[in-house]
């Protein structure tokens, strides 16, 4: 058990064990209300988190890498994500996999298995990444809302009007909706939002796939090349940077490890939470990989080197405009739910810290009932969560570069949270001997993923710097 680390408080609040008369059937072994999650609800949470805005950039990513490297990189990422997620699922309980002490969050797991400075490093990276994802989803949602406006404008003017639309009002609309939904107190109370969001993700992914197939048939053949976008369309340097950025985009499209433990904490037992989570992970990764392959490959087949950075808003497709509107509306609904799935762990962290630091504060701890129903409001929750959403919205308005932001987020979060910590915790938990074959293989996997993360981050930063040369904050129209 790692020593207590100054700087990041323990995330789990001690819960008083129930008396026999309380009805033990209503409580789990840690004294909390019995968890009810299943393989299906866990899969819904994962799919909501994974099949997000990332799927829309995959045609562009494959376009940079080509028909050989593009699908191959996607398959490699899917395997790595599944493998490391399985390692991480075993870290939910410390000691015995069935009766051991629960780790309620990713940081709890790192604290129990590694301890020391690594807990602080993990917390900083995890919550910075969650903050970044909120920004990325705000940008993506506003792009889809402006796409609906532009699609209808193009249709009304028969493509004669350039239909320039500012994304800022739509970011504000999205922010207001997130302020409302962010008042849902706990992660396990948003299962219905996750299921709705998962349905929406399948809706727009299916529409993107269908339009890609239709466009490919209309073209009379498959576009694209074995090596990706050709030199001439871009310079040699741009080719390198964009290929690296494509790695980041694919990493972002798959990444959900930062909330895996939190999802696992909603799952009932028996069977053990790890078994349920591994099944949910396998199902989710299989489904998402199939969708990613179809959407990414068909998008590239339809447009080749001209594949847009965002498949449904890059206006490779113009008709049928009403179908594009449905797809983009589904994206917005999905992202409203995905934003909450990602941000609830961050909300919980800050609120648990505040409760522990100021246990007697009514502003932080008191719930005020609204009417005669079950609704209640907490002033600290209302204030801090609203401030968080406002901050992500303002930053999104300053940096509305979808592809570059997606690539950078994917690169920064992929190695430390998806690979390094799960591998190190597994080695510590299973006491894998140093320099044994398994230890060497795990370290080689971690090192290879580190190289990919650094390269992808470099490519995305180069893209952001290029965009900033021509961008004017709050004034750009699209």
């Amino acid at each position: 058990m790692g020593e207590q680390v100054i700087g990041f408080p323990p995330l789990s609040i001690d819960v008083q064990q129930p008396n026999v008369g309380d009805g033990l059937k209503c409580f789990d072994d840690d004294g909390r209300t019995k968890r009810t999650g299943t393989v299906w609800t866990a899969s819904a949470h994962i799919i909501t988190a994974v099949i997000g805005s990332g799927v829309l950039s995959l045609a562009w990513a494959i376009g940079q890498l080509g028909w050989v490297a593009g699908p191959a990189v996607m398959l490699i990422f899917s395997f790595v994500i599944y493998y490391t997620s399985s390692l991480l699922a075993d870290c939910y309980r410390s000691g015995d996999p069935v009766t051991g002490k629960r780790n309620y969050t990713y940081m709890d797991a790192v604290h129990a298995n590694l301890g020391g400075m690594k807990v602080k490093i993990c917390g900083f990276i995890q919550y910075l990444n969650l903050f970044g994802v909120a920004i990325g989803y705000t940008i993506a949602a506003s792009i889809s809302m402006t796409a609906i406006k532009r699609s209808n404008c193009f249709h009304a003017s028969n493509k004669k009007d350039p239909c320039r639309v500012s994304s800022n009002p739509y970011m504000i609309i999205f922010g207001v909706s997130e302020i409302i939904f962010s008042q849902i107190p706990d992660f396990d109370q948003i299962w219905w939002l996750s299921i709705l969001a998962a349905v929406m993700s399948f809706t727009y992914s299916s529409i993107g796939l269908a339009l890609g197939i239709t466009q490919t048939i209309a073209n009379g053949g498959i576009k694209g090349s074995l090596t990706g976008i050709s030199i001439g369309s871009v310079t040699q340097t741009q080719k390198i940077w964009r290929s690296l950025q494509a790695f980041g985009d694919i990493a972002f499209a798959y990444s959900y490890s930062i909330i895996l433990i939190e999802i696992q904490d909603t799952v009932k037992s028996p069977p053990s939470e790890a078994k349920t989570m591994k099944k949910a992970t396998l199902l989710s990764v299989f489904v998402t990989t199939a969708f990613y392959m179809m959407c990414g490959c068909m998008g590239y087949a339809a447009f080749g080197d001209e594949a847009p950075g965002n498949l449904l808003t890059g206006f490779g497709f113009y008709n049928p405009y009403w179908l594009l509107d449905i797809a983009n509306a589904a994206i917005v609904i999905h992202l409203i739910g995905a934003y909450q799935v990602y941000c609830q762990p961050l909300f919980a962290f800050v609120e648990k810290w505040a409760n522990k630091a100021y246990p007697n504060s009514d502003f932080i701890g008191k719930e005020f009932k609204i009417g005669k129903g079950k609704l209640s409001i907490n002033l600290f929750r209302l204030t801090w969560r609203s401030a968080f959403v406002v901050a992500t919205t303002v930053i999104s308005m300053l940096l509305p570069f979808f592809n570059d932001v997606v690539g950078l987020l994917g690169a920064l979060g992929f190695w430390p949270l998806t690979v390094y910590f799960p591998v190190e915790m597994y080695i510590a938990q299973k006491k894998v001997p140093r320099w044994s074959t398994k230890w060497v293989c795990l370290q080689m996997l971690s090192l290879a993923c580190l190289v990919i993360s650094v390269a992808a981050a470099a490519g995305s930063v180069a893209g952001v710097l290029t965009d900033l040369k021509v961008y004017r904050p709050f004034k750009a129209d699209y």
Side-chain angles (χ1 to χ4, degrees), residues 194-259:
S194 280
I195 291 174
L196 174 63
V199 171
M200 292 297 105
S201 69
F202 283 120
T203 299
Y204 67 73
S205 298
S206 300
I207 291 173
L209 173 63
L211 290 173
I213 293 171
T214 303
Q215 185 66 44
T216 303
I217 294 171
N219 293 340
I222 293 174
K223 291 187 176 183
S225 65
L226 295 179
T227 56
I229 193 167
S230 56
I231 306 297
S233 299
V234 293
T235 65
Q236 180 74 49
T237 304
Q238 285 175 322
K239 168 77 172 175
I240 294 170
W241 288 128
R242 288 167 66 144
S243 296
L244 294 177
Q245 187 184 329
F247 277 81
D249 283 9
I250 294 172
F252 178 81
Y254 272 107
S255 202
Y256 71 95
S257 297
I258 52 177
I259 56 170

Side-chain angles (χ1 to χ4, degrees), residues 398-439:
L398 287 167
L399 292 171
F401 315 131
F402 177 72
N403 266 65
D404 300 328
V405 171
V406 161
L408 186 58
L409 288 172
L412 292 177
F414 175 68
W415 176 71
L417 299 173
T418 303
V419 182
Y420 174 75
F421 283 114
V423 164
E424 290 301 310
M425 285 192 286
Y426 178 81
I427 288 173
Q429 190 179 59
K430 302 297 182 183
K431 297 180 172 56
V432 179
R434 185 180 287 265
W435 302 114
S436 65
T437 302
K438 177 175 265 191
W439 186 91

Side-chain angles (χ1 to χ4, degrees), residues 28-73:
D28 274 326
D29 54 1
D30 60 344
R32 294 191 173 184
T33 305
K34 207 160 187 67
R35 293 157 177 83
T36 57
T38 64
V39 170
W40 300 108
T41 60
S43 297
H45 282 313
I46 294 171
I47 290 170
T48 298
V50 179
I51 304 186
S53 55
V55 70
L56 304 173
S57 66
L58 291 179
W60 181 90
I62 292 178
Q64 311 314 305
L65 300 171
W67 281 117
V68 177
V73 168

Side-chain angles (χ1 to χ4, degrees), residues 6-46:
I6 298 172
F8 282 100
L11 295 187
S12 51
I13 295 177
D14 293 331
V15 178
Q16 187 177 0
Q17 293 293 334
N19 297 319
V20 175
D22 290 340
L24 289 174
K25 290 183 180 180
C26 299
F27 296 91
D28 274 326
D29 54 1
D30 60 344
R32 294 191 173 184
T33 305
K34 207 160 187 67
R35 293 157 177 83
T36 57
T38 64
V39 170
W40 300 108
T41 60
S43 297
H45 282 313
I46 294 171

Side-chain angles (χ1 to χ4, degrees), residues 383-400:
T383 305
W384 122 254
R385 293 190 183 191
S386 299
F388 173 88
V389 175
V390 169
T392 59
T393 304
V394 171
I395 294 172
S396 301
M397 292 164 73
L398 287 167
L399 292 171

